[in-house]
Amino acid sequence: MEMNLLLGVNIDHVATLRQARYTGMLDSPNAEPSPATAAIDAKAGGADSITIHVRGDRRHMQEEDAYLVKKATDLPLNFEMGNTQEMIDIALKLQPEYVCLVPETREEVTTEGGLDVAGLYDSLVPTVKTLQDAGIKISMFIDPDVYQVEASSKIDAEMIELHTGCFANADSGCARDEEIDRLKIASVRGHELGLQVNAGHGINYENIKALYEVPYLKEFNIGHTIVARSVRVGFTQAVAEMRTLMEGYSPEL
Ligand code: PXP
């Protein structure tokens, strides 16, 4: 069975570019580029959802951006967040369709490693419940590890997002095959447990097709490479090119 994978476009790095010059000057008419406009352009290019991550340190997306992006598009919004009271409060105000819980430390360049759902189980339970009670679906950004998949199911998340960073950084064909195997095993287990299985981090125009060996995937979340490509071809075109590459995926083994 052939099925189109869904494309979630992460627009954080549109805000990274703006912050490079306009940190603390969001009210300036010169503060560009606009994440909200990028969300509109992403939809025109065929995006199925928009992802943003308001980090504790506000290095790219600001809280205000989240509301402006939500207002600018009718695409489902995937709000990535660390498990803090500050972010829970923002999510409850924002009302995104999904929250993706991610680990967050200040020093990392980007999200490194998946969330330890098994180890942090007790502190995650109230967050999951609060957000689900508000009608928000929960995704867990986890390493492709069966133990973490099972913990995500036990905590009643609707979705998992398998971390593809190790796959993307694998420096030999052999290491990459091992990562694909880990992703396959985790995806099969997630599917068995009734979870929606997504994937993201480090996916680009070159490596994306290698992930087609992984069954049961529903959505890819892709950011950096699309923003980078948009410098050359524009945002709508960069998204459309990725969308085209995503055709022809078969979710069955
Ligand atoms: N998924 C999650 C949970 C992320 O935190 C990120 C951004 O770091 C992405 C997907 C997108 O990754 P990239 O920008 O490498 O495409």
Side-chain angles (χ1 to χ4, degrees), residues 104-196:
E104 199 177 297
T105 58
R106 269 165 202 276
E107 301 76 26
E108 65 190 4
V109 176
T110 177
T111 311
E112 287 167 6
L115 185 67
D116 180 10
V117 181
L120 299 169
Y121 193 86
D122 290 345
S123 62
L124 288 166
V125 167
T127 304
V128 170
K129 182 158 179 15
T130 302
L131 295 173
Q132 285 178 334
D133 283 351
I136 301 167
K137 293 197 177 93
I138 299 293
S139 178
M140 293 292 182
F141 182 55
I142 54 171
D143 289 332
D145 172 349
V146 166
Y147 192 52
Q148 298 295 346
V149 176
E150 289 172 352
S152 302
S153 166
K154 190 172 160 212
I155 211 165
D156 261 344
E158 284 85 0
M159 287 167 271
I160 49 174
E161 180 174 326
L162 297 177
H163 193 319
T164 46
C166 287
F167 154 79
N169 291 331
D171 49 15
S172 70
C174 210
R176 182 171 278 200
D177 288 348
E178 267 176 40
E179 286 307 319
I180 291 282
D181 282 345
R182 288 178 70 205
L183 288 160
K184 278 185 188 171
I185 291 165
S187 186
V188 168
R189 187 69 186 127
H191 179 75
E192 278 169 3
L193 292 167
L195 291 158
Q196 177 176 320

Side-chain angles (χ1 to χ4, degrees), residues 10 13 80 100 102 110-111 141 161 200-203 221-224:
N10 180 317
H13 295 314
E80 286 181 9
C100 182
V102 301
T110 177
T111 311
F141 182 55
E161 180 174 326
H201 201 92
I203 300 173
N221 277 313
I222 307 179
H224 185 100

Side-chain angles (χ1 to χ4, degrees), residues 25 28 41 68 71 77 98 103 117 130-131 133 149 157 196 208 217 223 232 236 243:
M25 297 166 67
S28 161
D41 291 347
L68 290 172
K71 210 168 139 198
L77 188 62
Y98 321 104
V117 181
T130 302
L131 295 173
D133 283 351
V149 176
Q196 177 176 320
I208 188 166
L217 295 175
R232 298 189 65 198
T236 300
R243 199 87 207 59

Side-chain angles (χ1 to χ4, degrees), residues 10 12 49-55 58 61-63 65-67 70 76-82 84 86-102 104 131 136-139 161 221:
N10 180 317
D12 289 345
S49 65
I50 300 293
T51 297
I52 56 170
H53 184 178
V54 176
R55 299 182 65 108
R58 302 294 195 277
M61 286 288 170
Q62 309 299 301
E63 180 177 350
D65 288 320
Y67 305 120
K70 172 101 199 271
L77 188 62
N78 174 26
F79 184 63
E80 286 181 9
M81 58 174 249
T84 64
E86 181 193 24
M87 290 305 150
I88 294 168
D89 292 343
I90 294 176
L92 291 175
K93 213 165 135 191
L94 180 65
Q95 286 289 315
E97 274 73 8
Y98 321 104
V99 154
C100 182
L101 286 163
V102 301
E104 199 177 297
L131 295 173
I136 301 167
K137 293 197 177 93
I138 299 293
S139 178
E161 180 174 326
N221 277 313

Side-chain angles (χ1 to χ4, degrees), residues 220-252:
F220 282 163
N221 277 313
I222 307 179
H224 185 100
T225 200
I226 290 176
V227 177
R229 178 91 183 128
S230 76
V231 173
R232 298 189 65 198
V233 301
F235 209 76
T236 300
Q237 174 71 16
V239 172
E241 288 177 10
M242 189 59 83
R243 199 87 207 59
T244 303
L245 284 176
M246 287 170 61
E247 280 163 16
Y249 171 73
S250 168
E252 306 290 341

